[in-house]
Amino acid sequence: MNVLEINTVTKRFGNLVAVRDVSLTVAKGELCAIIGPNGAGKTTFFNLISGYFPPTSGKIMFDGQDITRLSTHERVSRGMARTFQITEIFPELTVFENIRIAAEVAGGYRLRPWISRAEASKIHDNVETTLKLVALEAKADRLVGELAHGDQRAAEIAMALALKPHLLLLDEPTAGMGDQETYQITQLVRRLHRNDQYSIVLIEHDMRVVFNLADRICVLDQGRMLAQGTPQQIAANESVQAAYLGNAA
Ligand SMILES: Nc1ncnc2c1ncn2[C@@H]1O[C@H](COP(=O)(O)OP(=O)(O)OP(=O)(O)O)[C@@H](O)[C@H]1O
Ligand SMILES: [Mg+2]
């Protein structure tokens, strides 16, 4: 079963074709990384997946349904979670409170004036489970604004997980991090994928992270899909080396 099926999507900005005829299939439980040089179209492609804007042409299926024209909000409610859009993280609230807000949104309780005891306990359970998933149980009562960068990122990912997504979209989760924190987040993403079977699409600049985590790597170059394959296949691909890895090294 495929979570995501993207069929020849193109996105034009005026004369510029940022994404050209790109197709991608993500199977349930798969971790697919998207790489490519600066300006390759990675963020644009991601925006097409999450619904930030519609493609100029092409089709996007999620869980077997056509979502090409759906808004980000409608995609989120169908189980597609993207970290930075959901994470209006509140630095002055605790980790627990932040995740609870996401859990309430997920349960559709956020705008309700009154929540029953049974509902409140369901939300509480979701928060506890999510805290465990990201290994922040011990820091549940800390203010997010006072956490180290890596823990803040873990809290952001937790907010996405509280939505119980079928697909998790991560746009450079280790951006701006030092080695220690990059390792922490890489291990977290690996656990979510390997132990908890999340389906994940990841944009990542850090090649160590990509080759460490991905089942499959998709290389974009000048808006086109240059290559797709396992980390071994991509590492051995000469056009990829020419377009990207050679420059990055
Ligand atoms: N909203 C927009 N309007 C016009 N052009 C855009 C827009 N967004 C992106 N572009 C252009 O589309 C091309 C692809 O950009 P995109 O940001 O998707 O690349 P990227 O692979 O994410 O690059 P980076 O590695 O620098 O993040 C670039 O030429 C960029 O200038
Ligand atoms: Mg980008």
Side-chain angles (χ1 to χ4, degrees), residues 79-136:
M80 185 187 283
R82 173 177 185 168
T83 37
F84 86 83
Q85 275 176 353
I86 300 132
T87 53
E88 303 282 272
I89 202 155
F90 301 102
E92 71 286 6
L93 296 183
T94 66
V95 173
F96 190 96
E97 289 162 341
N98 267 286
I99 300 175
R100 196 192 56 206
I101 288 168
E104 287 176 0
V105 170
Y109 304 122
R110 196 58 193 149
L111 296 173
R112 292 244 307 271
W114 190 76
I115 292 174
S116 75
R117 193 179 293 183
E119 287 165 340
S121 116
K122 221 165 113 188
I123 291 166
H124 192 93
D125 288 349
N126 183 358
V127 178
E128 296 283 353
T129 310
T130 305
L131 279 167
K132 276 203 198 88
L133 276 175
V134 299
L136 282 179

Side-chain angles (χ1 to χ4, degrees), residues 1-4 26-32 63 165-168 189-201 213-216:
M1 167 79 183
N2 294 324
V3 179
L4 190 66
V26 179
K28 201 166 172 354
E30 190 174 32
L31 193 154
C32 176
D63 277 341
H166 308 175
L167 178 66
L168 188 59
V189 175
R190 177 199 295 283
R191 277 201 320 274
L192 292 175
H193 171 51
R194 300 270 161 87
N195 300 353
D196 306 306
Q197 278 85 45
Y198 278 94
S199 311
I200 298 173
V201 178
L213 282 179
D215 298 318
R216 198 149 51 86

Side-chain angles (χ1 to χ4, degrees), residues 89-98 136 138-156 181 184:
I89 202 155
F90 301 102
E92 71 286 6
L93 296 183
T94 66
V95 173
F96 190 96
E97 289 162 341
N98 267 286
L136 282 179
K139 293 171 183 157
D141 296 327
R142 298 271 301 277
L143 300 183
V144 163
E146 293 173 353
L147 295 178
H149 199 172
D151 286 339
Q152 285 188 359
R153 187 55 50 84
E156 288 183 15
E181 291 173 327
Q184 177 192 352

